[in-house]
Amino acid sequence: MKATITLHREFSIGQADRRLYGSFIEHLGRAVYNGIYEPGHPQADDKGFRKDVLKLVRELDVPIVRYPGGNFVSGYNWEDGIGPVDKRPVRQDLAWMTLEPNKVGVNEFAEWCKRAKSDVMYAVNLGSRGADAARNIVEYCNFPKGTYWSDLRRKHGVKNPHNIKLWCLGNEMDGPWQICRRTAREYGRVAAEAAKVMKWTDESIELVVCGSSNARMPTFGSWEAEVLDHTWEHADYLSLHTYFGNADGDTPNFLGRSLEMDAFIKSVAGICDYIKAKKHSKKQVYLSFDEWNVWFHSHNQDKKMEKWLEAPPILEDIYTMEDALVVGCMLITLLKNADRVKIACLAQLVNVIAPIMTETGGGAWRQSIYYPFMHASAYGRGTVLSGPVKSGKYDSKEYSEIPYLETVSVLNEEKNKLTIFAVNRNLKESLDLEANLYDMGNLKLIEHITLNNKDLKAANSAKGEKVKPELISGAKLENSNGKARLEARLPPASWNVLRFSL
Ligand code: AHR
């Protein structure tokens, strides 16, 4: 099977915002406790953070980490997580029916982020709480000194403000599972007022308002329009969330799901444009895809989990080769929409539907999905290029005209590098890729990395990696008269990274 792509330096979609490679840590399962934080572990640092986990997080180069939820945040009192640890309350977490010991709060998490070389993206509680708690935490975190909350932070040993720039106004407020769910009008109003006083507290912050929990919500579309109508003046970004699964084992259909993600992004961008037109506004509200991943493996076992445990092993999906392909297609989709999507968070980062897993008291290891994320984060920074793609297509149960080749390219002008990301969705046949690359100067092929395994259900574990990238040879590159022509063979069901120097 053959496929062709044509690229030119001018075929630019826009700059890939570095925050596209964000992630997410929620107070959920073993993400915080026995994930990033495990005092007493042989790898624990002076603050109880696992150094082996930090090393893997830094390897992913994650610029922002959303925190502390997720569903958890809608019942969270942020004040429970500050001050002397031995005085902090243990609370019931009604989002996940677990116990929250509050040993980690905003100060500890901000410190962890520093060590991970990430910035905090903080979500405030607009479920059980509102504008007052929201503006207080902005003051606690960002005001230098001389007020009640900023001086309290200093009393807690944090002299300099955290300067958290990015704030989420609640989480999935349309969902019936949410603690204190709201209608679009209720949420729109509280989000607008919280946003107003948060920006009065610190005018430099940026705010994300909640879109629908996913595109299949019955109020999808009208929710976005009504919420934006209320919050337009204050909103910088509108959130999107999506999780995909393959519970029925229909892999060709599963691999097509990124088409749904693409349609979702385009619809939400259209709604932003509609409200912009309606308000005769010049402002642009961008998109924050702040939860995305594959999530389905752990659903059944989690239903059997005992309630009111501290850090139970829930949402611990073990990811397979085919999950890594879907994650690869989702990353390509985010890049293809880089003109509208400025923030994205792989949900989540450690133990909970995560690329990084830990054994309590033991080692840390990389899941299959770790690798496409790592490659995109490392090589997907710069100008996103997308040109005409000729590829065979197939239909599946839910989608039609799914191209066998999913691809996007990124030109890093600072480093003089070009990277082609490509997924071959064909489960049986290799794809002979021809890429015609114009106006790039003389190109040199650095490497062709591939991730593939004949067993699509192969997964990594603490014992070893069955799904890991390897270099393959055979790709040919010819330069002539300002045009380069690449020929490369993409193995069946594979994620590929073709890297060139300019
Ligand atoms: O990431 C897991 C959960 O998925 C989050 O808490 C919630 O926002 C979403 O439903």
Side-chain angles (χ1 to χ4, degrees), residues 24 26 28 66 69-73 95-96 171-172 177-178 213 241 243 291 295 315 347-348 352-353:
F24 178 26
E26 178 167 0
L28 193 187
R66 187 166 174 255
N71 298 337
F72 169 80
V73 80
W96 302 104
N171 175 71
E172 296 190 349
W177 57 87
Q178 205 63 219
S213 298
H241 291 180
Y243 295 98
E291 287 189 33
W295 174 17
L315 281 76
Q348 298 192 8
V352 168
I353 42 174

Side-chain angles (χ1 to χ4, degrees), residues 5 8 83 88 90 137 140 154 163 206 278 286 302 307 342 382 402 407 420 439 497:
I5 60 177
H8 190 286
R88 297 184 192 172
V90 174
I137 187 171
Y140 182 86
R154 290 165 69 87
N163 276 329
E206 291 194 305
K278 189 175 158 215
Y286 289 102
D302 286 354
K307 287 184 182 176
K342 298 293 169 190
I402 306 166
T407 183
I420 300 177
D439 200 31
V497 183

Side-chain angles (χ1 to χ4, degrees), residues 101-267:
N102 282 306
K103 289 180 192 135
V104 170
V106 67
N107 292 327
E108 290 81 16
F109 188 71
E111 181 57 38
W112 180 82
C113 274
K114 246 189 232 159
R115 294 174 190 211
K117 300 201 186 317
S118 303
D119 291 331
V120 182
M121 175 184 192
Y122 194 93
V124 298
N125 175 357
L126 293 187
S128 67
R129 304 189 79 187
D132 200 40
R135 63 136 180 177
N136 289 346
I137 187 171
V138 176
E139 184 182 315
Y140 182 86
C141 290
N142 287 7
F143 204 71
K145 62 178 179 182
T147 64
Y148 175 78
W149 290 108
S150 59
D151 285 347
L152 190 61
R153 182 198 70 237
R154 290 165 69 87
K155 201 173 139 202
H156 293 157
V158 185
K159 194 166 161 244
N160 295 321
H162 294 307
N163 276 329
I164 299 174
K165 285 281 163 258
L166 205 50
W167 297 77
C168 304
L169 296 163
N171 175 71
E172 296 190 349
M173 295 308 308
D174 58 336
W177 57 87
Q178 205 63 219
I179 300 166
C180 305
R181 169 202 199 183
R182 296 180 192 264
T183 64
R185 183 170 188 283
E186 287 165 350
Y187 171 68
R189 286 296 304 128
V190 77
E193 293 307 312
K196 191 172 80 184
V197 295
M198 287 166 79
K199 283 197 171 171
W200 283 348
T201 308
D202 179 353
E203 63 182 10
S204 73
I205 63 174
E206 291 194 305
L207 298 173
V208 184
V209 295
C210 288
S212 299
S213 298
N214 59 69
R216 296 185 182 192
M217 295 299 287
T219 50
F220 170 58
S222 61
W223 171 277
E224 277 75 4
E226 189 165 355
V227 166
L228 279 180
D229 221 353
H230 289 293
T231 57
W232 186 261
E233 206 188 315
H234 315 284
D236 299 291
Y237 307 93
L238 177 65
S239 78
L240 298 85
H241 291 180
T242 280
Y243 295 98
F244 292 136
N246 189 18
D248 58 3
D250 183 343
T251 300
N253 190 57
F254 184 42
L255 295 183
R257 292 212 184 276
S258 59
L259 272 62
E260 188 174 326
M261 184 188 201
D262 189 64
F264 183 24
I265 294 171
K266 293 193 163 65
S267 306

Side-chain angles (χ1 to χ4, degrees), residues 320-334:
T320 60
M321 178 61 223
E322 66 182 26
D323 298 330
L325 295 177
V326 172
V327 163
C329 288
M330 293 175 92
L331 283 160
I332 290 174
T333 305
L334 290 169

